[in-house]
Amino acid sequence: MLRYPVILKRDTNGTIRVDFPDVPEANTFGEDTDGALVQAVDALEGALSMYIEDRRDIPKPSPVRPRGKTVIL
Protein backbone atom coordinates (compact mmCIF):
# COMPACT_ATOMS: atom_id res chain seq x y z
CA MET A 1 0.00 0.00 0.00
CA LEU A 2 1.36 3.41 -1.00
CA ARG A 3 0.19 6.65 0.61
CA TYR A 4 0.86 9.70 -1.59
CA PRO A 5 0.50 13.17 -0.06
CA VAL A 6 -1.66 15.69 -1.90
CA ILE A 7 -1.92 19.45 -1.96
CA LEU A 8 -5.47 20.78 -1.99
CA LYS A 9 -6.15 24.36 -3.08
CA ARG A 10 -9.32 26.25 -3.83
CA ASP A 11 -9.23 27.15 -7.52
CA THR A 12 -10.37 30.46 -9.01
CA ASN A 13 -13.70 28.92 -10.06
CA GLY A 14 -14.49 27.60 -6.56
CA THR A 15 -13.50 23.98 -7.14
CA ILE A 16 -10.81 22.17 -5.15
CA ARG A 17 -7.64 21.45 -7.12
CA VAL A 18 -5.50 18.42 -6.24
CA ASP A 19 -1.77 18.22 -6.97
CA PHE A 20 0.69 15.47 -6.10
CA PRO A 21 4.16 16.74 -5.14
CA ASP A 22 5.71 13.36 -6.00
CA VAL A 23 3.86 12.84 -9.30
CA PRO A 24 3.55 16.18 -11.12
CA GLU A 25 1.67 14.56 -14.01
CA ALA A 26 -1.24 13.75 -11.68
CA ASN A 27 -3.66 16.56 -10.96
CA THR A 28 -7.40 16.89 -10.88
CA PHE A 29 -10.23 18.75 -9.18
CA GLY A 30 -13.57 18.26 -7.47
CA GLU A 31 -16.53 20.30 -6.32
CA ASP A 32 -15.48 19.81 -2.70
CA THR A 33 -12.64 18.15 -0.77
CA ASP A 34 -14.25 14.71 -0.69
CA GLY A 35 -15.05 14.79 -4.40
CA ALA A 36 -11.56 16.01 -5.23
CA LEU A 37 -9.97 13.16 -3.27
CA VAL A 38 -12.15 10.61 -5.08
CA GLN A 39 -11.03 12.04 -8.43
CA ALA A 40 -7.43 12.09 -7.19
CA VAL A 41 -7.29 8.29 -7.04
CA ASP A 42 -8.06 8.05 -10.77
CA ALA A 43 -5.61 10.85 -11.59
CA LEU A 44 -2.81 9.15 -9.67
CA GLU A 45 -3.53 5.73 -11.19
CA GLY A 46 -3.54 7.25 -14.67
CA ALA A 47 -0.27 9.08 -14.16
CA LEU A 48 1.45 6.04 -12.67
CA SER A 49 0.25 3.89 -15.56
CA MET A 50 2.13 6.28 -17.87
CA TYR A 51 5.25 5.70 -15.78
CA ILE A 52 4.81 1.96 -16.22
CA GLU A 53 4.18 2.22 -19.98
CA ASP A 54 7.30 4.37 -20.36
CA ARG A 55 9.28 1.96 -18.14
CA ARG A 56 10.08 4.77 -15.71
CA ASP A 57 10.61 4.25 -12.00
CA ILE A 58 7.50 4.79 -9.89
CA PRO A 59 8.15 7.76 -7.57
CA LYS A 60 8.21 6.91 -3.90
CA PRO A 61 5.76 8.87 -1.78
CA SER A 62 7.28 11.57 0.38
CA PRO A 63 6.50 11.69 4.10
CA VAL A 64 3.03 12.87 5.01
CA ARG A 65 2.74 16.03 7.05
CA PRO A 66 0.78 15.90 10.28
CA ARG A 67 -2.92 16.20 9.38
CA GLY A 68 -1.96 16.14 5.70
CA LYS A 69 -4.31 14.61 3.15
CA THR A 70 -3.25 11.55 1.19
CA VAL A 71 -4.37 9.19 -1.53
CA ILE A 72 -3.80 5.50 -0.89
CA LEU A 73 -3.13 2.97 -3.62
Side-chain angles (χ1 to χ4, degrees):
M1 178 176 0
L2 298 173
R3 184 181 300 263
Y4 282 89
V6 296
I7 298 171
L8 302 172
K9 292 184 191 173
R10 184 156 305 277
D11 211 345
T12 57
N13 61 359
T15 59
I16 304 294
R17 180 178 167 88
V18 182
D19 292 305
F20 289 85
D22 303 310
V23 186
E25 297 86 354
N27 52 63
T28 190
F29 67 95
E31 295 298 319
D32 56 23
T33 299
D34 291 337
L37 289 171
V38 168
Q39 295 298 324
V41 173
D42 288 338
L44 182 58
E45 288 175 347
L48 292 180
S49 71
M50 290 187 306
Y51 278 75
I52 292 167
E53 288 174 15
D54 294 342
R55 298 183 187 272
R56 294 167 46 198
D57 292 337
I58 301 292
K60 293 189 189 307
S62 46
V64 179
R65 294 182 187 167
R67 296 190 304 201
K69 299 288 187 188
T70 62
V71 169
I72 300 171
L73 293 182

